[in-house]
Amino acid sequence: MAIKLSANYSKKLGLPQYSSHSFSASVEVELNDITQVEAEVQKLYQLLQQSVDQEIQQPGFVPTANTNGNSRPAPQQKGRAQPVNGSGHPSAPPNADRWNCTDGQRGFILRIVNENPGITKQVAEELSQQLFGIGVKQLNKMQASQLIEDLLVLAGKPTPRQTRWQQQPTNAQAA
Amino acid sequence: MNTLAASSPERSEQDVLTALQATVSASRLSLFLQCRLKFYFRYVLKLKKPKTASLHLGNAVHAVLKAWNKARWVQQPLSLKVVHETYQTAWADNTEGSVAWEPGEEEADKTTGWRLLDTYLRESHLPAAIKPDAVEVPVEADLQQHGLPRLIGILDLVQQRQIIDYKTSATTPNADKVSHTTEIQTCSYAILYRHNTGAQEAGMQLHHLVKLKNPKVVITTLPPMSPGQETRLFRQMEAYLEGLQRRDFIPSPGMHCSSCEFFNECRLWS
Ligand code: SF4
């Protein structure tokens, strides 16, 4: 009696602007002997994973902050929780002109560079490499915010000391 | 994100309320939920009160930890001498107002702060070899898609995807209680981290520097924010928005009143 073995492999990856894409591949084979199952599963898994991995590297259309009209998730009902994808979003496909941070952060970094002769693009790039091991354009929003803080310190214009620790009600005080 | 809008003294109460509805932080939200009248005095009327001694100590300790973490990030660790000098400078900083010290109190508190730092750094809770991901970084998250305000906050330290928050405390924290009492703050930080990195935090740590005769450090490790906790936070933010909308600023008397700087103003409320 022939034994049917179905295998399916699917993968979902995050993309910038809170999007994601997924791909799955299935295959069905017939086996003559039940003892072949283990080896065949192993073979199919490798084959399917390899195939899916190869294809999923092509993200196709990737929304940007400017195309949010069509690409952002639909507004949620007020107050309804929608957990952020916990798997982490990988970096966007390489694109020399694309910045990972927000347009506002990009503008801020460029303004610091333009307005402070001591802070050239190279200085900003080197600081980014030193802190994060990646270039300015690759920084995520948190890293860009940190870079801005540090560039402002370098420019002698640190942001005013934050006052969030003021007058905490309990005897535990944020240090 | 990094510019602080100067608040104009002529802003009407409605302008202030509109701004508070547009942007929320963990401390504002916590205070609103603890006592709406106190929130009103602090954030709407902006009544000025003298800086407290514990706030001054907390700020000085925080400034040193920030400098120390930044220095180890660029692999130029601070010597104990430089740490001490940084502490002296931070202690002398009165830009946020000065404390009305009782005689002898300032020196005692200054020594306490230094001993906390000395203990924390000596015990090497953060190995020098591990680089931070962020140090005292201001971040924000647009929660408009949930019908909620923009969330803002500052992450003290992020390292190996762990969000670390420093606190000075007069008493030894209990792990279960502190994970509950700091939930608004830790969950806000988790949301900020996720929105700004696109990744989920590995977990959170509260580093309490406890002001005992023999100072000690208590580290409470918390798991990543759960979906249930996120829902709780969003509901709390909804209550905040609705309360501001209704101008609901009633007092909530309780144990917390013993440390309220607006006690006298509160007694006049009717
Ligand atoms: S004294 Fe108590 S009830 Fe009154 S404002 Fe302060 S915390 Fe609220």
Side-chain angles (χ1 to χ4, degrees), chain A residues 140-162:
Chain A
N140 65 32
K141 288 185 264 179
M142 182 177 81
Q143 293 165 330
S145 186
Q146 182 84 64
L147 183 78
I148 289 168
E149 291 290 298
D150 288 15
L151 288 176
L152 287 171
V153 171
L154 273 183
K157 301 168 188 165
T159 46
R161 199 176 154 70
Q162 309 295 331

Side-chain angles (χ1 to χ4, degrees), chain B residues 85-101:
Chain B
E85 284 164 4
T86 308
Y87 180 65
Q88 299 277 11
T89 309
W91 190 270
D93 182 359
N94 281 327
T95 47
E96 280 182 19
S98 29
V99 181
W101 301 102

Side-chain angles (χ1 to χ4, degrees), chain B residues 34-35 37-38 41 251-254 256-257 260 262-263 266:
Chain B
Q34 183 195 62
C35 177
L37 183 59
K38 188 171 176 183
F41 288 144
S252 302
H256 50 266
C257 297
C260 179
F262 303 113
F263 186 85
C266 177

